[in-house]
Amino acid sequence: MASIKENVERILKELPAGVELVAAAKTKTPAEILEAVEAGIKIIGENYVQEAAEAFAVVGRRGKWHFIGHLQTNKAKKAVEIFDMIETVDSPDLAREIDKRSRNAGKVMPVLIEINSGEEGQKFGVRPKDAEALIREIAPLQNIRIEGLMTMGPFEGDPEDARPYFKITKQLFDAFKALALPGVEMKWLSMGMTNSYPVAIEEGANMVRIGTKIFGPRI
Ligand SMILES: *Cc1c(COP(=O)(O)O)cnc(C)c1O
């Protein structure tokens, strides 16, 4: 099996210019994450605040930290200390909590809105039809800055199955960009994982979240 270093170098070489790579590091050790960062990873994606805190204690600001899991409001304070972006905002309550905690910390937190593009199939994220209302509601918050959209799509199976969900999310991204709302900068479209990222990039992703192809399978 190829090393983390070899995997990172290969993926970085093959990604088109302008596409950011987030190394999705859930269940991986601080040492593995550090190896990825030393091989050229700039952004680490974490799903759990506690796991991130342990990795952060070792890796620190040698990488940027993106939260890509489901954030519970009672973890927002700790999340704001560690993370440089929260990719999974899907409710006004969560946005307000991040805003409040960021204000207390003297920060403005970049966030993405998580779109439940698969509707029934996914637990988290805002439904496409409700996304504009959510963005309009939270855009005035002073200590978050909406910088784009994130979606998951189906996890397994034929990556072609994910294409319709990526298309829906890209359409929303373009529509919200055209609205040009104050406090909103539609800059990042985060979609695609190990099996689906080539399709996601074809559909307009400029941020991909890759775990298995960097770190190997999770056990
Ligand atoms: C685990 C995870 C990924 C990466 O999944 P792989 O299939 O291992 O590449 C991407 N995004 C999120 C939100 C994840 O939880």
Side-chain angles (χ1 to χ4, degrees), residues 24 26 47 68-69 150 152 155 192-195 209-213 218:
K26 59 178 175 282
N47 294 60
I68 62 174
M150 177 272 207
M152 294 282 289
F155 300 178
M193 319 198 306
T194 289
N195 74 338
R209 309 178 308 269
I210 299 178
T212 307
K213 200 172 173 174
R218 290 178 288 273

PDB file of all heavy atoms in Angstrom, residues 24 26 47 68-69 150 152 155 192-195 209-213 218, ligand 1:
ATOM      1  N   ALA A  24      -9.721  14.670   4.772  1.00  0.00           N
ATOM      2  CA  ALA A  24     -10.749  14.270   5.748  1.00  0.00           C
ATOM      3  C   ALA A  24     -10.143  13.237   6.691  1.00  0.00           C
ATOM      4  O   ALA A  24      -9.879  12.107   6.299  1.00  0.00           O
ATOM      5  CB  ALA A  24     -11.970  13.712   5.024  1.00  0.00           C
ATOM      6  N   LYS A  26     -11.020  11.945   9.851  1.00  0.00           N
ATOM      7  CA  LYS A  26     -11.711  11.285  10.983  1.00  0.00           C
ATOM      8  C   LYS A  26     -11.108   9.910  11.248  1.00  0.00           C
ATOM      9  O   LYS A  26     -10.755   9.200  10.309  1.00  0.00           O
ATOM     10  CB  LYS A  26     -13.217  11.200  10.746  1.00  0.00           C
ATOM     11  CG  LYS A  26     -13.646  10.459   9.512  1.00  0.00           C
ATOM     12  CD  LYS A  26     -15.175  10.406   9.420  1.00  0.00           C
ATOM     13  CE  LYS A  26     -15.619   9.774   8.127  1.00  0.00           C
ATOM     14  NZ  LYS A  26     -15.537  10.671   6.958  1.00  0.00           N
ATOM     15  N   ASN A  47     -14.421  15.745  11.723  1.00  0.00           N
ATOM     16  CA  ASN A  47     -15.855  15.577  11.968  1.00  0.00           C
ATOM     17  C   ASN A  47     -16.237  15.720  13.434  1.00  0.00           C
ATOM     18  O   ASN A  47     -17.404  15.882  13.735  1.00  0.00           O
ATOM     19  CB  ASN A  47     -16.319  14.185  11.526  1.00  0.00           C
ATOM     20  CG  ASN A  47     -16.221  13.983  10.034  1.00  0.00           C
ATOM     21  OD1 ASN A  47     -15.135  14.085   9.486  1.00  0.00           O
ATOM     22  ND2 ASN A  47     -17.340  13.708   9.395  1.00  0.00           N
ATOM     23  N   ILE A  68     -16.127  19.490   9.300  1.00  0.00           N
ATOM     24  CA  ILE A  68     -16.959  18.922   8.226  1.00  0.00           C
ATOM     25  C   ILE A  68     -18.007  17.946   8.761  1.00  0.00           C
ATOM     26  O   ILE A  68     -18.701  17.295   7.985  1.00  0.00           O
ATOM     27  CB  ILE A  68     -16.093  18.241   7.136  1.00  0.00           C
ATOM     28  CG1 ILE A  68     -15.282  17.069   7.712  1.00  0.00           C
ATOM     29  CG2 ILE A  68     -15.173  19.258   6.475  1.00  0.00           C
ATOM     30  CD1 ILE A  68     -14.524  16.268   6.627  1.00  0.00           C
ATOM     31  N   GLY A  69     -18.110  17.829  10.080  1.00  0.00           N
ATOM     32  CA  GLY A  69     -19.117  16.934  10.664  1.00  0.00           C
ATOM     33  C   GLY A  69     -20.376  17.689  11.059  1.00  0.00           C
ATOM     34  O   GLY A  69     -20.581  18.831  10.646  1.00  0.00           O
ATOM     35  N   MET A 150     -21.626  23.504   0.848  1.00  0.00           N
ATOM     36  CA  MET A 150     -21.045  22.166   0.978  1.00  0.00           C
ATOM     37  C   MET A 150     -22.175  21.161   0.804  1.00  0.00           C
ATOM     38  O   MET A 150     -23.306  21.432   1.206  1.00  0.00           O
ATOM     39  CB  MET A 150     -20.413  22.051   2.365  1.00  0.00           C
ATOM     40  CG  MET A 150     -19.814  20.709   2.722  1.00  0.00           C
ATOM     41  SD  MET A 150     -20.990  19.551   3.455  1.00  0.00           S
ATOM     42  CE  MET A 150     -19.848  18.545   4.422  1.00  0.00           C
ATOM     43  N   MET A 152     -22.867  16.595   0.684  1.00  0.00           N
ATOM     44  CA  MET A 152     -22.307  15.242   0.791  1.00  0.00           C
ATOM     45  C   MET A 152     -22.638  14.394  -0.434  1.00  0.00           C
ATOM     46  O   MET A 152     -21.758  13.834  -1.051  1.00  0.00           O
ATOM     47  CB  MET A 152     -22.859  14.529   2.025  1.00  0.00           C
ATOM     48  CG  MET A 152     -22.448  15.140   3.331  1.00  0.00           C
ATOM     49  SD  MET A 152     -20.755  14.696   3.798  1.00  0.00           S
ATOM     50  CE  MET A 152     -20.952  12.981   4.210  1.00  0.00           C
ATOM     51  N   PHE A 155     -22.782   8.271  -0.374  1.00  0.00           N
ATOM     52  CA  PHE A 155     -21.413   7.939   0.059  1.00  0.00           C
ATOM     53  C   PHE A 155     -20.781   6.862  -0.802  1.00  0.00           C
ATOM     54  O   PHE A 155     -19.603   6.836  -1.026  1.00  0.00           O
ATOM     55  CB  PHE A 155     -21.392   7.417   1.492  1.00  0.00           C
ATOM     56  CG  PHE A 155     -21.918   8.359   2.515  1.00  0.00           C
ATOM     57  CD1 PHE A 155     -21.986   7.972   3.832  1.00  0.00           C
ATOM     58  CD2 PHE A 155     -22.322   9.626   2.175  1.00  0.00           C
ATOM     59  CE1 PHE A 155     -22.470   8.841   4.798  1.00  0.00           C
ATOM     60  CE2 PHE A 155     -22.809  10.496   3.134  1.00  0.00           C
ATOM     61  CZ  PHE A 155     -22.898  10.100   4.442  1.00  0.00           C
ATOM     62  N   GLY A 192     -17.640  16.273  -3.029  1.00  0.00           N
ATOM     63  CA  GLY A 192     -16.822  15.192  -3.563  1.00  0.00           C
ATOM     64  C   GLY A 192     -15.927  14.585  -2.510  1.00  0.00           C
ATOM     65  O   GLY A 192     -15.301  15.292  -1.728  1.00  0.00           O
ATOM     66  N   MET A 193     -15.921  13.233  -2.466  1.00  0.00           N
ATOM     67  CA  MET A 193     -15.087  12.478  -1.546  1.00  0.00           C
ATOM     68  C   MET A 193     -14.257  11.491  -2.384  1.00  0.00           C
ATOM     69  O   MET A 193     -14.189  11.624  -3.607  1.00  0.00           O
ATOM     70  CB  MET A 193     -15.958  11.763  -0.523  1.00  0.00           C
ATOM     71  CG  MET A 193     -17.109  12.656  -0.038  1.00  0.00           C
ATOM     72  SD  MET A 193     -17.907  12.173   1.509  1.00  0.00           S
ATOM     73  CE  MET A 193     -18.357  10.513   1.183  1.00  0.00           C
ATOM     74  N   THR A 194     -13.637  10.513  -1.723  1.00  0.00           N
ATOM     75  CA  THR A 194     -12.726   9.623  -2.448  1.00  0.00           C
ATOM     76  C   THR A 194     -13.317   9.066  -3.743  1.00  0.00           C
ATOM     77  O   THR A 194     -12.685   9.116  -4.799  1.00  0.00           O
ATOM     78  CB  THR A 194     -12.273   8.465  -1.521  1.00  0.00           C
ATOM     79  OG1 THR A 194     -11.385   9.002  -0.542  1.00  0.00           O
ATOM     80  CG2 THR A 194     -11.556   7.359  -2.300  1.00  0.00           C
ATOM     81  N   ASN A 195     -14.539   8.556  -3.668  1.00  0.00           N
ATOM     82  CA  ASN A 195     -15.047   7.898  -4.881  1.00  0.00           C
ATOM     83  C   ASN A 195     -15.682   8.876  -5.861  1.00  0.00           C
ATOM     84  O   ASN A 195     -15.805   8.574  -7.042  1.00  0.00           O
ATOM     85  CB  ASN A 195     -16.010   6.745  -4.532  1.00  0.00           C
ATOM     86  CG  ASN A 195     -17.353   7.260  -4.049  1.00  0.00           C
ATOM     87  OD1 ASN A 195     -17.469   8.403  -3.592  1.00  0.00           O
ATOM     88  ND2 ASN A 195     -18.362   6.433  -4.155  1.00  0.00           N
ATOM     89  N   ARG A 209     -13.149  16.916  -0.430  1.00  0.00           N
ATOM     90  CA  ARG A 209     -12.809  16.386   0.895  1.00  0.00           C
ATOM     91  C   ARG A 209     -12.482  14.903   0.747  1.00  0.00           C
ATOM     92  O   ARG A 209     -13.362  14.084   0.522  1.00  0.00           O
ATOM     93  CB  ARG A 209     -13.996  16.577   1.851  1.00  0.00           C
ATOM     94  CG  ARG A 209     -14.549  18.011   1.885  1.00  0.00           C
ATOM     95  CD  ARG A 209     -15.752  18.098   2.808  1.00  0.00           C
ATOM     96  NE  ARG A 209     -16.740  17.080   2.488  1.00  0.00           N
ATOM     97  CZ  ARG A 209     -17.753  17.239   1.635  1.00  0.00           C
ATOM     98  NH1 ARG A 209     -17.945  18.382   1.019  1.00  0.00           N
ATOM     99  NH2 ARG A 209     -18.575  16.244   1.399  1.00  0.00           N
ATOM    100  N   ILE A 210     -11.193  14.593   0.855  1.00  0.00           N
ATOM    101  CA  ILE A 210     -10.752  13.228   0.566  1.00  0.00           C
ATOM    102  C   ILE A 210     -10.131  12.605   1.807  1.00  0.00           C
ATOM    103  O   ILE A 210      -9.213  13.173   2.399  1.00  0.00           O
ATOM    104  CB  ILE A 210      -9.760  13.235  -0.625  1.00  0.00           C
ATOM    105  CG1 ILE A 210     -10.462  13.800  -1.872  1.00  0.00           C
ATOM    106  CG2 ILE A 210      -9.213  11.841  -0.879  1.00  0.00           C
ATOM    107  CD1 ILE A 210      -9.579  13.894  -3.098  1.00  0.00           C
ATOM    108  N   GLY A 211     -10.647  11.435   2.190  1.00  0.00           N
ATOM    109  CA  GLY A 211     -10.112  10.728   3.340  1.00  0.00           C
ATOM    110  C   GLY A 211      -9.394   9.450   2.942  1.00  0.00           C
ATOM    111  O   GLY A 211      -8.165   9.348   2.984  1.00  0.00           O
ATOM    112  N   THR A 212     -10.181   8.460   2.517  1.00  0.00           N
ATOM    113  CA  THR A 212      -9.654   7.121   2.253  1.00  0.00           C
ATOM    114  C   THR A 212      -8.476   7.122   1.276  1.00  0.00           C
ATOM    115  O   THR A 212      -7.488   6.419   1.476  1.00  0.00           O
ATOM    116  CB  THR A 212     -10.791   6.224   1.695  1.00  0.00           C
ATOM    117  OG1 THR A 212     -11.891   6.300   2.614  1.00  0.00           O
ATOM    118  CG2 THR A 212     -10.352   4.798   1.547  1.00  0.00           C
ATOM    119  N   LYS A 213      -8.575   7.914   0.236  1.00  0.00           N
ATOM    120  CA  LYS A 213      -7.525   7.901  -0.794  1.00  0.00           C
ATOM    121  C   LYS A 213      -6.214   8.508  -0.291  1.00  0.00           C
ATOM    122  O   LYS A 213      -5.159   8.286  -0.885  1.00  0.00           O
ATOM    123  CB  LYS A 213      -8.018   8.639  -2.049  1.00  0.00           C
ATOM    124  CG  LYS A 213      -7.235   8.284  -3.297  1.00  0.00           C
ATOM    125  CD  LYS A 213      -7.855   8.865  -4.553  1.00  0.00           C
ATOM    126  CE  LYS A 213      -6.927   8.623  -5.723  1.00  0.00           C
ATOM    127  NZ  LYS A 213      -7.509   9.030  -7.005  1.00  0.00           N
ATOM    128  N   ARG A 218     -10.654   3.300   6.706  1.00  0.00           N
ATOM    129  CA  ARG A 218     -10.877   3.455   8.149  1.00  0.00           C
ATOM    130  C   ARG A 218     -11.302   2.111   8.719  1.00  0.00           C
ATOM    131  O   ARG A 218     -12.077   1.402   8.098  1.00  0.00           O
ATOM    132  CB  ARG A 218     -11.974   4.505   8.399  1.00  0.00           C
ATOM    133  CG  ARG A 218     -11.545   5.914   8.063  1.00  0.00           C
ATOM    134  CD  ARG A 218     -12.663   6.911   8.284  1.00  0.00           C
ATOM    135  NE  ARG A 218     -13.716   6.805   7.296  1.00  0.00           N
ATOM    136  CZ  ARG A 218     -13.729   7.413   6.123  1.00  0.00           C
ATOM    137  NH1 ARG A 218     -12.716   8.189   5.762  1.00  0.00           N
ATOM    138  NH2 ARG A 218     -14.727   7.265   5.289  1.00  0.00           N
TER     139      ARG A 218
HETATM  140  C1  LIG B   1     -15.297  11.028   5.808  1.00  0.00           C
HETATM  141  C2  LIG B   1     -15.734  12.230   5.050  1.00  0.00           C
HETATM  142  C3  LIG B   1     -15.196  12.544   3.800  1.00  0.00           C
HETATM  143  C4  LIG B   1     -14.157  11.700   3.093  1.00  0.00           C
HETATM  144  O1  LIG B   1     -14.625  10.413   2.826  1.00  0.00           O
HETATM  145  P1  LIG B   1     -13.723   9.376   1.985  1.00  0.00           P
HETATM  146  O2  LIG B   1     -14.736   8.569   1.273  1.00  0.00           O
HETATM  147  O3  LIG B   1     -12.936   8.610   2.979  1.00  0.00           O
HETATM  148  O4  LIG B   1     -12.881  10.174   1.073  1.00  0.00           O
HETATM  149  C5  LIG B   1     -15.629  13.706   3.184  1.00  0.00           C
HETATM  150  N1  LIG B   1     -16.546  14.504   3.743  1.00  0.00           N
HETATM  151  C6  LIG B   1     -17.105  14.236   4.935  1.00  0.00           C
HETATM  152  C7  LIG B   1     -18.098  15.164   5.487  1.00  0.00           C
HETATM  153  C8  LIG B   1     -16.713  13.086   5.620  1.00  0.00           C
HETATM  154  O5  LIG B   1     -17.289  12.821   6.803  1.00  0.00           O
END
